[in-house]
């Protein structure tokens, strides 16, 4: 028997942790926007996104792979072998990534910025590759063990250390870009060392060749899939850098970060606890359970995203200067895009529980080709808005295709009509907020706040999400062992 209130408890722990972690992360934005120019902020974004590419390639999907293998194995010895084998594998791959980045530092700097003077940033990124990747499997292990408290505790400590050193290096010592990256290296290194010691003491250190081969077969498809998804999430920055400049990348990136708040605070914690449970829910002879959890996810996302859309301009004025204000107009589009992405992330459950992940690269490949075409044509014409338009269209196509294919593999009764109603109602309220006559600041804020409150009330009053469904979250669901 699995209690949904147990799931809710872990969700709350994760969401508190994610809130603390990302609140401290967003706390650094005013520091960056004050001590870094928009151009430097844009350069930092390009460097960080290059790091993301490296992490996708050299992680080889071992995070979700180790979680999947640990959760599906019955014997504890096999569970431990999966974690230990994945950890040893990622040690080798991360060191390889660092070596390659050291060799490519100058070419990367010249390609992106037209000069070799930023090669030191890419060399430092090579170090970050190691300290970040080595934490992936231990974090998956904590998720699989449902040790949400420890997961959140060490994560919060890591980001607290990063914030402390960021303030010292950037605000006090004025080290600018090198200070930002150095602070991340220190924070991630201390965090990773602790996690490695904790995990390997629990699992032991040994390498299982059979498990390794199975993991590689399972995880390798995540590399092209991850790269495709990277293009959908971040490819627009590189096109903006090419067609416009680093300052515009900085403006776009800040607004994009704001747009991801809903996804980070809702989808992030949800997936942390959903991973282990979705394998057990497969055994239930009532796929409506999947549909119910899907609807709760969409509802939580929408009530978080709507205030971000309505108060987008005010948020930028608070955390940054006037140079970044232009970016507020992309926030509503990116929020809708990540609603589509959140839905697709849930639809992915069918691939994971059936272990048919080989479909994912084809789905994301199609969306990536579409993204390249739209970035190429829309960004030169519409600037940063073109990037937001392209992202929304591509995520929508990605979500639809994921739904249709996943339904063929593992049919789920998703309440798509209710989810669509939530989206349309949110868009109507947003449009209403921008067409209302302008007034003084206090009245404007109160009006928008009222619209935010009205939204969930309308959802419940119209029966899209009634009290019985909400109450069900607190009940018990019997699962076949």
């Amino acid at each position: 028997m699995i209690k949904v209130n147990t799931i809710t408890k872990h969700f709350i722990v994760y969401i508190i942790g994610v809130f603390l972690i990302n609140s401290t992360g967003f706390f650094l934005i005013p520091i960056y926007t004050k001590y870094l120019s928009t151009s430097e902020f844009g350069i930092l974004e390009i460097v960080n996104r290059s790091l993301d590419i490296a992490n996708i390639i050299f992680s080889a999907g071992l995070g979700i792979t180790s979680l999947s293998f640990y959760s599906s194995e019955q014997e504890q010895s096999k569970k431990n072998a999966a974690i230990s084998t994945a950890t040893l594998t990622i040690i080798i791959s991360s060191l390889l990534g660092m070596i390659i980045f050291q060799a490519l530092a100058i070419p990367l700097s010249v390609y992106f910025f037209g000069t070799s003077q930023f090669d030191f940033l890419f060399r430092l990124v090579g170090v970050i590759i190691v300290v970040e990747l080595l934490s992936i499997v231990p974090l998956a292990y904590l998720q699989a063990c449902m040790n949400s408290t420890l997961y959140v505790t060490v994560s919060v400590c890591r980001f607290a250390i990063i914030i402390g050193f960021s303030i010292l290096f950037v605000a006090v010592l004025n080290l600018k870009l090198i200070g930002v990256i150095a602070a991340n290296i220190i924070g991630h290194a201390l965090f990773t060392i602790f996690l490695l010691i904790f995990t390997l003491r629990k699992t032991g250190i040994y390498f299982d060749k059979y498990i390794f081969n199975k993991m590689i077969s399972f995880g390798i498809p995540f590399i092209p899939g991850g790269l495709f998804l990277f293009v959908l999430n971040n490819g627009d920055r590189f096109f903006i850098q090419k067609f416009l400049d680093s300052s515009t990348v900085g403006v776009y990136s800040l607004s994009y970060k704001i747009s991801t708040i809903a996804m980070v605070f809702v989808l992030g914690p949800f997936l942390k606890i959903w991973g282990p449970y979705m394998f057990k829910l497969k055994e239930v002879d009532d796929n409506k359970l999947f549909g119910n959890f899907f609807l709760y996810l969409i509802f939580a996302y929408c009530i978080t995203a709507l205030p971000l859309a309505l108060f987008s301009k005010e948020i930028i004025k608070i955390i940054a200067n006037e140079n970044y204000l232009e970016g507020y107009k992309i926030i509503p589009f990116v929020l809708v895009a990540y609603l589509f992405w959140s839905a697709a992330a849930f639809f992915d459950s069918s691939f994971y529980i059936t272990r048919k992940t080989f479909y994912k690269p084809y789905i994301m490949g199609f969306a990536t080709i579409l993204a390249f075409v739209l970035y190429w044509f829309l960004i030169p014409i519409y600037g940063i808005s073109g990037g937001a338009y392209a992202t929304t269209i591509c995520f929508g196509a990605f979500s639809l295709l994921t739904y249709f294919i996943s339904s063929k593999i593992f049919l789920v009764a998703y309440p798509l009509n209710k989810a669509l109603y939530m989206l349309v109602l949110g868009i109507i309220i947003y449009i209403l907020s921008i067409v209302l006559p302008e007034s003084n600041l206090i009245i404007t804020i109160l009006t928008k706040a009222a619209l935010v409150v009205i939204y969930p009330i309308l959802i419940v009053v119209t029966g899209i999400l009634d009290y019985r469904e909400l109450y069900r979250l607190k009940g018990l669901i019997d699962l076949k062992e």
Side-chain angles (χ1 to χ4, degrees):
M1 179 188 296
I2 291 181
K3 297 183 178 181
V4 175
N5 56 9
T6 299
I7 298 178
T8 305
K9 181 193 73 173
H10 287 291
F11 179 80
I12 291 173
V13 172
Y14 278 124
I15 203 169
I16 291 174
V18 168
F19 176 78
L20 293 174
I21 292 168
N22 289 280
S23 292
T24 52
F26 282 106
F27 172 77
L28 290 174
I29 290 179
I31 296 177
Y32 292 162
T33 55
K34 180 178 181 179
Y35 292 97
L36 301 179
S37 66
T38 53
S39 178
E40 289 172 326
F41 196 79
I43 291 171
L44 179 63
E45 181 70 11
I46 295 297
V47 171
N48 282 335
R49 299 295 74 78
S50 301
L51 170 63
D52 290 342
I53 295 175
N55 284 344
I56 291 169
I57 295 173
F58 296 104
S59 68
L62 286 172
I64 184 64
T65 300
S66 55
L67 173 61
S68 173
F69 276 66
Y70 186 95
S71 300
S72 59
E73 292 290 352
Q74 300 300 317
E75 298 179 17
Q76 188 61 46
S77 60
K78 291 183 178 180
K79 289 176 178 287
N80 292 341
I83 297 298
S84 179
T85 300
T87 300
L88 296 176
T89 302
I90 210 164
I91 288 175
I92 302 301
S93 64
S94 63
L95 291 174
L96 177 61
M98 182 182 68
I99 294 172
I100 292 176
F101 246 70
Q102 301 303 315
L104 295 179
I106 292 178
L108 287 172
S109 178
V110 173
Y111 178 78
F112 288 125
F113 310 119
T115 175
S116 62
Q117 73 179 76
F118 297 109
D119 68 305
F120 68 94
L121 295 176
F122 291 102
R123 296 187 192 281
L124 289 174
V125 165
V127 179
I128 296 181
I129 290 173
V130 175
V131 295
E132 279 196 7
L133 288 186
L134 291 184
S135 68
I136 290 178
V137 176
L139 286 175
Y141 173 67
L142 293 182
Q143 284 182 245
C145 295
M146 296 303 291
N147 197 339
S148 56
T149 302
L150 181 58
Y151 183 103
V152 168
T153 300
V154 295
S155 297
V156 169
C157 290
R158 171 183 57 171
F159 279 89
I161 293 172
I162 291 175
I163 285 176
F165 280 101
S166 294
I167 294 174
L168 174 63
F169 293 156
V170 179
V172 179
L173 300 179
N174 198 31
L175 295 178
K176 293 186 175 293
L177 294 175
I178 194 172
V180 174
I181 297 180
N184 276 273
I185 291 176
I186 295 173
H188 284 294
L190 295 175
F191 168 80
T192 297
I193 291 171
F194 169 80
L195 281 180
L196 281 175
I197 294 175
F198 173 85
T199 301
L200 293 178
R201 286 184 64 182
K202 293 283 187 179
T203 65
I205 304 176
Y206 42 88
F207 183 84
D208 189 306
K209 185 177 179 181
Y210 175 71
I211 293 179
F212 168 79
N213 291 332
K214 289 180 64 177
M215 281 188 161
I216 292 300
S217 299
F218 183 85
I220 287 298
F222 286 96
I223 295 179
L227 291 174
F228 292 153
L229 191 56
F230 172 85
V231 173
L232 298 178
N233 279 283
N234 304 286
D236 44 7
R237 276 60 146 211
F238 294 101
F239 280 86
I240 292 172
Q241 175 71 32
K242 175 178 175 59
F243 290 121
L244 302 172
D245 52 43
S246 296
S247 293
T248 308
V249 173
V251 172
Y252 184 84
S253 299
L254 176 64
S255 294
Y256 204 102
K257 290 179 189 298
I258 295 171
S259 305
T260 61
I261 291 176
M263 185 271 295
V264 168
F265 286 108
V266 176
L267 184 65
F270 182 85
L271 292 181
K272 291 292 187 297
I273 56 95
W274 178 246
Y277 279 110
M278 67 181 177
F279 295 100
K280 298 176 182 179
L281 282 174
K282 179 187 176 183
E283 303 173 9
V284 180
D285 191 23
D286 180 10
N287 286 337
K288 188 178 179 181
L289 285 174
F290 275 80
N292 287 338
F293 280 110
F294 169 77
L295 193 61
Y296 304 144
L297 171 64
I298 297 302
F299 175 69
Y301 181 92
C302 287
I303 62 175
T304 307
L306 185 61
L308 293 174
L310 268 57
F311 292 99
S312 55
K313 186 181 293 186
E314 289 80 3
I315 293 173
I316 293 179
K317 287 181 178 180
I318 292 173
I319 67 174
N321 56 54
E322 292 292 326
N323 294 329
Y324 292 89
L325 189 57
E326 179 190 4
Y328 85 92
K329 60 188 178 183
I330 76 165
I331 292 178
F333 293 97
V334 179
L335 285 168
V336 172
Y338 273 97
L339 173 64
F340 295 146
W341 190 88
S342 298
F346 201 99
F347 299 151
D348 275 347
S349 301
S350 297
F351 301 129
Y352 298 138
I353 62 180
T354 60
R355 293 196 175 183
K356 295 182 178 180
T357 56
F358 52 82
Y359 284 103
K360 288 178 61 61
Y362 297 104
I363 297 172
M364 287 183 280
F366 166 79
T368 299
I369 294 173
L370 180 61
F372 268 108
V373 173
L374 293 176
Y375 291 153
W376 187 271
F377 285 102
L378 295 182
I379 289 176
I381 298 174
Y382 299 105
I384 60 174
S385 294
Y389 300 155
T391 300
T392 305
I393 295 171
C394 291
F395 271 78
F398 169 66
S399 184
L400 282 174
L401 192 56
T402 301
Y403 168 73
F404 286 122
I405 296 180
S406 64
S407 296
K408 301 294 183 182
I409 298 172
F410 186 73
L411 184 62
V412 176
Y414 291 114
L416 297 181
N417 58 329
K418 292 185 177 182
L420 181 61
Y421 176 88
M422 292 182 186
L423 171 60
V424 172
L425 180 60
I427 292 175
I428 292 174
I429 289 178
Y430 173 75
I431 294 175
L432 182 61
S433 73
I434 61 178
V435 299
L436 289 175
E438 292 189 7
S439 185
N440 63 61
L441 180 61
I442 295 179
I443 294 178
T444 299
I445 291 177
L446 290 176
T447 302
K448 291 182 178 180
L451 291 173
V452 170
V453 173
I454 288 172
Y455 177 76
I457 294 176
L458 289 175
I459 294 295
V460 176
V461 169
T462 55
I464 297 302
L465 197 69
D466 62 38
Y467 72 93
R468 287 167 296 185
E469 289 180 310
L470 293 173
Y471 179 77
R472 191 176 183 185
L473 276 175
K474 302 177 182 178
L476 301 178
I477 297 177
D478 294 324
L479 300 182
K480 295 181 179 178
E481 297 294 338

